[in-house]
Amino acid sequence: MVTETMVPVDGIELCVETFGETGDPALLLIGGAASSMDWWDDEFCRRLAADGRLVVRYDHRDTGRSTSFPPGDPPYSDVDLAHDALGVLDALSLHRAHLVGLSMGGGLAQRIAIERPHRVLSLTLMSTSTVPPAHDVTAPGGGEAPDWTDRRSAIDALVSGVRRLGGPFTADEHHLRRLAARVFDRTRDMAASQTNHFSCAGGPPTRDRLGAITAPTLVMHGTLDPFFPPEHARTLAAEIPGARLVWLDGVGHEFPPAAVWTRVIDEIIDQAGRRTQPA
């Protein structure tokens, strides 16, 4: 069963969608900066849920159908973005979940695992780093800013951004344009969605507390990631006790392309079955 709904979280509304059956172990997908939940492919989510997981994806504030603020001066920090993820779980009456965070979402997942360890069953960190989430750049970037109010210009910019950071397995132009069109059509304010996460305030640093993470942790990283080169993954895995490092050959800084779904899904499910590290 797939269900999309709006839920209240700390005075705002977030758009949430679930795949699977209520009562199954929850798996929360936390996307990168400027990314609505659309970038977690529908079929990818269905395949994760097919193993007996309640898969949850959501629009960050300032993306998709969630509450949007005027572009340029967002009244929140990356701490609030992390609390949003917990608020989604609360709204669904989910006390604990397996967290899968990509890029900025990986930074938010790290913060949750450090500050609210009792909420985390397992941790999968993809295409991310030990650097603060505010330093994440997954927006199109480069050159003059597009006219985000113009549908064609916005779609062109989104597709260009994905291809610039991707690799040989990145989806083809037709697929990306169809996905970017969906993102545009679902988003309240494209300019806000593509700028505010990069200008929001940062919270207290978490790197010096990575050693306190007790959740079983998987670090998955593309060998061709141009934004967080391989040393970021090695450092992250080395600083989290017991973390496993899995390389995705030919993958860039991107949501998992279809060519590696089987590997990624198998690894996430395997990680979700591992025991918590002793305190």
Side-chain angles (χ1 to χ4, degrees):
M1 179 183 297
V2 180
T3 305
E4 181 180 316
T5 188
M6 301 297 295
V7 301
V9 175
D10 291 336
I12 64 170
E13 282 193 320
L14 299 178
C15 187
V16 179
E17 189 169 34
T18 62
F19 297 75
E21 301 300 326
T22 302
D24 284 343
L27 196 155
L28 179 66
L29 303 176
I30 310 176
S35 299
S36 63
M37 65 180 172
D38 305 285
W39 295 101
W40 296 109
D41 192 278
D42 295 1
E43 182 60 22
F44 178 81
C45 295
R46 282 191 286 266
R47 287 176 59 174
L48 272 175
D51 191 72
R53 297 287 185 275
L54 177 65
V55 175
V56 183
R57 65 179 182 180
Y58 68 102
D59 292 327
H60 289 296
R61 60 174 75 194
D62 270 322
T63 74
R65 292 179 178 149
S66 292
T67 296
S68 184
F69 298 92
D73 189 24
Y76 56 83
S77 71
D78 60 15
V79 174
D80 296 304
L81 291 172
H83 288 171
D84 287 350
L86 293 173
V88 167
L89 296 181
D90 291 340
L92 298 177
S93 299
L94 299 170
H95 178 61
R96 306 177 75 193
H98 301 281
L99 303 186
V100 179
L102 183 140
S103 202
M104 180 192 78
L108 301 180
Q110 291 170 53
R111 182 176 294 280
I112 295 168
I114 290 167
E115 298 180 350
R116 300 289 189 274
H118 58 287
R119 306 296 302 270
V120 183
L121 292 169
S122 74
L123 194 59
T124 297
L125 306 174
M126 303 174 65
S127 303
T128 192
S129 175
T130 59
V131 302
H135 292 176
D136 174 329
V137 178
T138 54
E144 186 177 346
D147 178 1
W148 290 114
T149 65
D150 180 75
R151 192 172 188 268
R152 183 182 181 88
S153 295
I155 290 171
D156 287 346
L158 290 173
V159 171
S160 175
V162 172
R163 295 181 71 85
R164 178 174 58 86
L165 295 175
F169 299 134
T170 301
D172 62 31
E173 182 87 8
H174 175 73
H175 179 92
L176 289 177
R177 293 193 71 83
R178 185 174 56 189
L179 179 54
R182 170 174 160 174
V183 170
F184 182 90
D185 292 341
R186 289 188 66 254
T187 300
R188 295 189 182 193
D189 186 331
M190 281 298 299
S193 78
Q194 297 301 305
T195 58
N196 280 356
H197 289 170
F198 308 111
S199 54
C200 74
T206 58
R207 181 172 181 179
D208 61 351
R209 293 183 284 167
L210 290 176
I213 291 178
T214 56
T217 300
L218 166 66
V219 176
M220 270 196 291
H221 208 87
T223 58
L224 300 182
D225 191 325
F227 187 75
F228 289 135
E231 56 265 27
H232 286 264
R234 293 191 189 97
T235 299
L236 183 61
E239 295 187 13
I240 298 177
R244 295 191 301 128
L245 176 57
V246 171
W247 296 107
L248 298 176
D249 291 333
V251 174
H253 192 74
E254 56 190 322
F255 284 81
V260 297
W261 280 359
T262 297
R263 176 84 185 279
V264 170
I265 290 170
D266 285 350
E267 291 287 356
I268 291 173
I269 296 302
D270 179 63
Q271 190 62 29
R274 291 176 179 258
R275 294 184 178 182
T276 301
Q277 298 290 325

